[in-house]
């Protein structure tokens, strides 16, 4: 979600997608057909993943979908811009969370006065993902 003059512009929540027009329309039709409750949180991601794995795709570098809570290396914000610890600019940041409260960055947008890290939320989400990663690693089927 980007804010521009207090207007929100919302994109796909899970990843950035570059796709030919016909495939995008096909994806939208699949979502329309497969998602029964259009106001529920999450089924769009399931259909998107299903569709992507049915078709060819290429994963892009994480700088095009940087998710703070799961990134292995740290980051910092300087004058509203996100950077990796190695000073490389992060191109696209995913401020993940079902509601504003759970998103780790406040005033998410473009410009010097935007992008304030909510430290408690950020560290709580990092801890959550660390625990889930440990659980997944140690309790495989």
């Amino acid at each position: 979600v980007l804010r521009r003059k207090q207007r929100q512009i919302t994109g796909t929540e899970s990843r950035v997608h570059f796709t030919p027009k016909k495939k995008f329309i096909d994806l939208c039709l699949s979502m329309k057909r497969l998602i029964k409750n259009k106001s529920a949180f999450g089924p769009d991601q399931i259909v998107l993943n299903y569709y992507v794995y049915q078709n060819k795709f290429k994963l892009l570098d994480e700088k095009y979908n940087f998710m703070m809570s799961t990134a292995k290396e740290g980051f910092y914000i300087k004058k509203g811009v996100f950077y990796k610890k190695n000073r490389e600019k992060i191109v696209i940041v995913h401020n993940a969370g079902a509601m504003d409260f759970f998103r780790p960055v406040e005033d998410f947008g473009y410009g010097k006065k935007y992008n304030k890290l909510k430290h408690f939320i950020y560290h709580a989400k990092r801890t959550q993902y660390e625990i889930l990663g440990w659980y997944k690693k140690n309790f495989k089927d």
Side-chain angles (χ1 to χ4, degrees):
V1 178
L2 289 178
R3 287 188 188 160
R4 196 174 287 155
K5 296 182 182 172
Q6 297 302 331
R7 197 178 105 220
Q8 289 191 341
I9 303 167
T10 306
T12 303
E13 292 296 322
S14 68
R15 294 202 181 271
V16 174
H17 303 277
F18 300 101
T19 186
K21 179 181 174 182
K22 285 184 180 182
K23 280 195 175 192
F24 183 73
I25 291 170
D26 188 45
L27 168 64
C28 293
L29 293 173
S30 295
M31 287 194 177
K32 183 178 180 184
R33 186 180 78 254
L34 295 171
I35 299 171
K36 302 301 179 212
N37 181 354
K38 307 286 191 279
S39 61
F41 177 77
D44 58 323
Q45 299 308 300
I46 295 167
V47 172
L48 176 63
N49 289 334
Y50 172 78
Y51 183 86
V52 166
Y53 282 94
Q54 294 286 320
N55 296 276
K56 290 183 180 180
F57 71 95
K58 180 181 178 185
L59 285 176
L60 300 175
D61 186 279
E62 75 168 0
K63 72 181 179 182
Y64 298 103
N65 185 45
F66 187 81
M67 196 162 140
M68 297 160 274
S69 302
T70 59
K72 302 245 185 282
E73 63 181 77
F75 72 97
Y76 63 97
I77 303 169
K78 183 177 180 182
K79 295 182 181 178
V81 179
F82 292 81
Y83 295 92
K84 292 182 178 183
K85 289 289 185 187
N86 68 3
R87 297 186 178 146
E88 180 183 1
K89 190 184 287 187
I90 300 168
V91 180
I92 298 174
V93 176
H94 183 170
N95 193 24
M99 301 179 298
D100 278 345
F101 176 80
F102 293 114
R103 294 187 180 119
V105 175
E106 193 169 34
D107 295 327
F108 189 57
Y110 184 77
K112 292 180 181 179
K113 55 187 173 176
Y114 293 96
N115 303 323
K116 313 292 185 266
L117 187 65
K118 296 190 280 186
H119 291 276
F120 178 78
I121 298 297
Y122 167 71
H123 289 290
K125 289 182 87 168
R126 290 277 305 160
T127 302
Q128 173 191 13
Y129 284 111
E130 289 287 328
I131 292 168
L132 290 172
W134 177 87
Y135 185 83
K136 184 178 175 182
K137 179 181 170 186
N138 290 294
F139 295 99
K140 290 183 181 179
D141 288 337

